[in-house]
């Protein structure tokens, strides 16, 4: 038997999926963000929580959450190849505006459904300990898929006799499946390769391999949001022409990961609770990194009342904070 065609299919699959993974988190590895969150204008904490998967938005080993039970919480969910520390800057911006936060950490090679189930359980435990039942849930990239799935039917339960009120925000989520992983969902290629394409996809991406393609049940049937979700803001990034890194005024690393087509899903977009916001921004730019501050995201979240307004007399202080956190306040 001539195995050359099979080898070509498998090699193409591995390359395509590896390219997705390169873009998924794709900027260089960041140093762990171990510095604690400054309290800013946060009210003093009155409870300490040890909830699997939930912790402060830093990479410190101590994962105990110190929160004020009478105040709402914003929970942030990172994308693949990231950690809680990925959102330390945004958590600090929230603290500057008097809003407390927590971060969900998961194994990004696990099944997305499994990660969403872990998040749902963590949020239920959090809600049971909070007097204020208002929660904002924000997910970026792969974290957007997990955040939304944790809020669909049979997800989080209503704690006690008080209804949990959730504001859901997803950013740059590939809700129509990841184009670079299309090989993994192609039944013809699976047959042609005698099942080796599936093996290659699992090796490269982990247990989520069958969920990230356009043909997966996870993508085709995203489910309806629970009644606890009072509104849903879906932020879509037009990443065309964006750049993560320049050298000598030339772009050497693109910031375009997911197209708008990959982020659109009719079943999700047509839901009456969904509000869509399209912004011209790169995949990493929108949430910020060590070179760029997420000023576009902050502006959107403030416009929708998710981040409190910045008092005019504190604008300069916010600018200084962004410079200290991101090295820029552009």
């Amino acid at each position: 038997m001539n195995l050359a065609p099979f080898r070509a299919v498998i090699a193409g699959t591995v390359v395509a999926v590896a390219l997705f993974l390169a873009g998924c988190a794709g900027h260089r590895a960041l140093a762990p963000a171990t510095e604690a969150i400054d309290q800013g204008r946060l009210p003093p904490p009155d409870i300490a929580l040890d909830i699997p998967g939930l912790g402060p938005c830093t990479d410190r080993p101590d994962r105990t959450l110190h929160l004020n039970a009478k105040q709402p919480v914003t929970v942030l969910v990172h994308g693949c190849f990231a950690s809680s520390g990925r959102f330390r800057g945004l958590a600090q911006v929230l603290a500057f505006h008097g809003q407390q936060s927590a971060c969900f950490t998961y194994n990004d090679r696990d099944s997305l459904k499994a990660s969403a189930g872990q998040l749902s359980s963590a949020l239920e435990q959090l809600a049971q300990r909070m007097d204020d039942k208002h929660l904002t849930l924000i997910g970026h990239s792969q974290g957007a898929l997990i955040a939304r799935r944790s809020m669909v039917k049979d997800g989080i339960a209503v704690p006690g006799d008080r209804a949990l009120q959730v504001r859901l925000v997803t950013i740059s989520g590939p809700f129509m499946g990841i184009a670079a992983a299309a090989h993994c969902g192609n039944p013809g290629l699976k047959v042609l390769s005698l099942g080796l394409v599936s093996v290659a996809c699992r090796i490269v991406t982990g247990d989520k391999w069958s969920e990230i393609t356009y043909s997966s049940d996870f993508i085709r049937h995203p489910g309806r949001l629970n009644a606890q979700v009072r509104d849903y803001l879906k932020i879509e990034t037009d990443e065309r022409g964006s750049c993560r890194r320049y050298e000598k005024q030339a772009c050497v690393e693109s910031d375009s990961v997911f197209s708008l087509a990959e982020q659109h899903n009719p079943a999700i977009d047509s839901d009456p609770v969904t509000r869509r916001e399209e912004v011209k921004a790169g995949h990493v730019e929108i949430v910020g990194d060590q070179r760029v501050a997420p000023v576009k995201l902050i502006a959107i979240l403030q416009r929708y009342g998710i981040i409190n307004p910045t008092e005019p007399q504190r604008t300069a202080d916010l600018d200084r904070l962004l410079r200290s956190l991101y090295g820029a306040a552009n």
Side-chain angles (χ1 to χ4, degrees):
M1 176 183 291
N2 182 6
L3 297 178
F6 302 141
R7 293 193 183 105
V9 168
I10 296 169
T13 298
V14 171
V15 169
V17 179
L19 285 174
F20 149 65
L21 288 175
C24 180
H27 53 301
R28 74 213 180 289
L30 300 178
T34 56
E35 187 176 351
I37 305 295
D38 186 278
Q39 284 296 102
R41 290 195 168 185
L42 290 175
D46 56 13
I47 57 172
L49 306 177
D50 290 299
I51 299 174
L54 277 188
C57 294
T58 77
D59 295 321
R60 305 180 82 179
D62 182 3
R63 306 310 298 155
T64 300
L65 272 172
H66 298 275
L67 300 172
N68 187 297
K70 298 177 178 60
Q71 299 292 323
V73 181
T74 296
V75 176
L76 304 162
V77 186
H78 61 76
C80 61
F81 292 162
S83 66
S84 291
R86 182 72 181 80
F87 280 129
R88 181 188 174 275
L90 192 55
Q92 192 63 73
V93 170
L94 286 165
F96 177 88
H97 291 90
Q99 296 168 264
Q100 59 187 356
S101 62
C103 274
F104 176 66
T105 302
Y106 60 98
N107 183 341
D108 64 22
R109 290 181 61 83
D110 284 349
S111 157
L112 300 180
K113 289 183 180 179
S115 296
Q118 293 163 11
L119 173 57
S120 179
S121 175
L123 295 178
E124 183 176 354
Q125 293 177 65
L126 174 64
Q128 289 172 350
R129 295 292 306 276
M130 299 297 292
D131 297 326
D132 190 303
K133 304 298 183 182
H134 293 87
L135 173 75
T136 298
L137 179 61
I138 301 177
H140 173 243
S141 193
Q142 179 175 288
L145 303 182
I146 292 170
R148 188 187 183 281
R149 180 51 68 101
S150 75
M151 290 288 112
V152 301
K153 184 180 178 181
D154 299 325
I156 194 166
V158 178
D161 60 353
R162 298 184 62 181
L164 181 67
Q165 296 292 310
V166 178
R167 294 186 302 185
L168 174 63
V169 181
T170 62
I171 307 163
S172 310
F175 289 103
M176 203 58 190
I178 297 167
H183 294 72
C184 298
N186 188 316
L189 288 180
K190 182 177 179 179
V191 172
L192 178 64
S193 68
L194 304 179
L196 293 179
V197 161
S198 299
V199 174
C201 289
R202 182 182 294 276
I203 290 172
V204 175
T205 66
D207 291 342
K208 67 187 178 188
W209 74 272
S210 63
E211 299 169 314
I212 61 177
T213 74
Y214 67 96
S215 61
S216 73
D217 183 69
F218 187 95
I219 295 297
R220 293 172 58 240
H221 304 289
R224 297 297 298 270
L225 293 170
N226 284 339
Q228 287 87 1
V229 180
R230 66 180 188 182
D231 61 64
Y232 170 30
L233 175 60
K234 183 172 180 277
I235 300 175
E236 302 159 354
T237 45
D238 182 352
E239 302 171 4
R240 291 172 293 182
S242 59
C243 185
R244 294 185 192 179
R245 185 165 58 90
Y246 290 89
E247 288 183 5
K248 298 179 180 179
Q249 299 183 328
C251 182
V252 295
E253 186 179 2
S254 173
D255 198 18
S256 181
V257 176
F258 298 133
S259 67
L260 287 171
E262 289 171 283
Q263 297 174 60
H264 293 170
N265 184 316
I268 294 174
D269 300 344
S270 62
D271 191 321
V273 77
T274 303
R275 294 183 291 172
R276 296 168 61 192
E277 178 83 15
E278 184 180 311
V279 57
K280 185 71 176 176
H283 194 74
V284 170
E285 174 196 358
I286 190 65
V287 292
D289 69 1
Q290 291 178 335
R291 285 182 293 255
V292 59
V295 291
K296 295 178 182 179
L297 178 61
I298 293 170
I300 293 171
L301 296 181
Q302 287 188 317
R303 188 163 69 250
Y304 282 89
I306 294 164
I307 293 181
N308 293 333
T310 306
E311 298 165 354
Q313 66 271 24
R314 301 188 74 214
T315 301
D317 292 334
L318 177 59
D319 185 69
R320 282 190 290 270
L321 175 64
L322 294 178
R323 289 183 184 280
S324 69
L325 292 171
Y326 300 99
N330 46 9

